[in-house]
Amino acid sequence: MQPKNIQQIMFDLDDTLVYTNKYFYLIIEQFLDLMETWFHTYDVTAKQFKQKQIEIDLARVSRDGFVSEHFPESFVDTYRYFSTLLGRTVHSSEENLLYKLGLSVYEQPVEPYPGMLETLTHLRDEGHQLYLYTGGEIVIQQRKIEAMKLHDFFDDRIYIRQHKNQEALEAILTDGKFDRTRTWMIGNSLRTDITPALTAGIRTIYIKQENEWKFNIVDYKLGPDATMYTIKSLSEVPNVIAKHTAP
């Protein structure tokens, strides 16, 4: 029997349902290895390379949203920055290698988080309405969705946005005629998942990651009527929702 209080549950994709950041970190380590090899005779450290790459990448994401070219371009621009700073010759072959390395992150395996299938199946079988709301480019995100057969759970209730912010979420909630008194946003990003959802007046579940991308971490304030749960694993989601909606 379906519960009387059916919820509208919106999930983030990257690092909520499938692993993403760990592959970016893996590619960044390969980038740093190359930079250390090329600049080994100069007075510069891997930490400095990493800080500059993060600075460049975050600035572009903040300005333009989730665009695939930003990540490989951040490698190339970091390489050019230190080449100019230290008087090292820029080699097109090295730039091309860095760009290809950066792009390779989008070819990595699609790996579900523990409990993904069980969590979505449980909530679907209870009769809840499931939605997917992810940031990025359509082709890249669709590859992950198809690899994980997520249409089985979300059907056509899938939203992919280049800019995942307050305006984007508000448009989705309004156009989709969501009932905000029974709508949830579940994700790992305080910036793009939780803060916009709190502002929009819907319930939130924050899945806190140990090694979170710096872009996702922002300060937030909970209003007197806000609902926010913080958990450590996706498998905890059904129990949180069940306890909150219990009569």
Side-chain angles (χ1 to χ4, degrees):
M1 176 181 291
Q2 291 184 346
K4 294 181 180 180
N5 190 14
I6 300 300
Q7 303 295 291
Q8 296 176 301
I9 306 171
M10 191 176 298
F11 283 90
D12 170 50
L13 178 62
D14 294 319
D15 286 306
T16 295
L17 298 180
V18 301
Y19 284 98
T20 301
N21 281 344
K22 78 173 188 177
Y23 293 113
F24 279 87
Y25 299 148
L26 175 65
I27 299 300
I28 288 172
E29 287 304 313
Q30 295 178 36
F31 162 71
L32 295 177
D33 286 343
L34 286 173
M35 291 290 285
E36 285 187 292
T37 298
W38 294 337
F39 289 83
H40 72 279
T41 60
Y42 296 88
D43 185 20
V44 61
T45 65
K47 182 178 180 180
Q48 289 173 291
F49 294 142
K50 188 174 183 178
Q51 288 177 335
K52 177 55 67 173
Q53 184 273 327
I54 291 173
E55 174 189 322
I56 293 171
D57 192 35
L58 292 184
R60 289 183 172 172
V61 173
S62 298
R63 183 188 67 199
D64 301 325
F66 299 107
V67 179
S68 61
E69 289 85 358
H70 285 165
F71 188 61
E73 285 174 351
S74 73
F75 285 2
V76 174
D77 286 351
T78 300
Y79 167 80
R80 290 175 179 171
Y81 172 84
F82 283 101
S83 294
T84 300
L85 180 67
L86 300 172
R88 184 182 183 275
T89 301
V90 171
H91 299 280
S92 60
S93 60
E94 292 175 345
E95 289 186 331
N96 291 336
L97 179 59
L98 290 178
Y99 194 84
K100 290 178 180 178
L101 175 63
L103 281 181
S104 71
V105 75
Y106 305 113
E107 301 169 357
Q108 300 301 311
V110 184
E111 180 185 354
Y113 263 86
M116 183 201 78
L117 181 61
E118 295 81 0
T119 297
L120 295 178
T121 300
H122 181 96
L123 293 170
R124 180 190 62 187
D125 291 350
E126 283 195 332
H128 298 299
Q129 299 168 354
L130 305 184
Y131 300 80
L132 187 66
Y133 172 39
T134 180
E137 294 182 358
I138 292 176
V139 172
I140 293 172
Q141 299 305 88
Q142 285 288 7
R143 169 179 170 265
K144 300 174 188 177
I145 291 167
E146 292 170 6
M148 292 293 99
K149 302 185 187 307
L150 292 179
H151 284 286
D152 293 349
F153 299 99
F154 300 106
D155 195 25
D156 62 348
R157 299 179 302 278
I158 296 174
Y159 303 93
I160 302 174
R161 299 291 185 269
Q162 180 174 323
H163 292 275
K164 195 177 181 190
N165 51 28
Q166 180 61 43
E167 292 75 20
L169 178 59
E170 188 63 38
I172 290 170
L173 294 173
T174 301
D175 295 344
K177 295 181 172 57
F178 282 78
D179 179 353
R180 302 191 192 208
T181 65
R182 60 187 183 95
T183 299
W184 298 74
M185 181 68 223
I186 299 166
N188 66 294
S189 172
L190 289 170
R191 179 187 295 272
T192 63
D193 299 323
I194 303 305
T195 301
L198 291 172
T199 303
I202 64 176
R203 299 163 182 167
T204 63
I205 299 179
Y206 172 44
I207 305 180
K208 189 173 183 178
Q209 306 291 350
E210 290 185 5
N211 190 18
E212 187 55 81
W213 183 28
K214 187 175 180 180
F215 177 79
N216 287 332
I217 302 173
V218 294
D219 293 329
Y220 63 93
K221 291 183 179 180
L222 290 177
D225 299 321
T227 299
M228 176 181 169
Y229 294 92
T230 299
I231 60 177
K232 294 184 178 180
S233 72
L234 183 61
S235 300
E236 298 176 58
V237 169
N239 188 49
V240 169
I241 293 176
K243 284 187 176 182
H244 185 92
T245 58

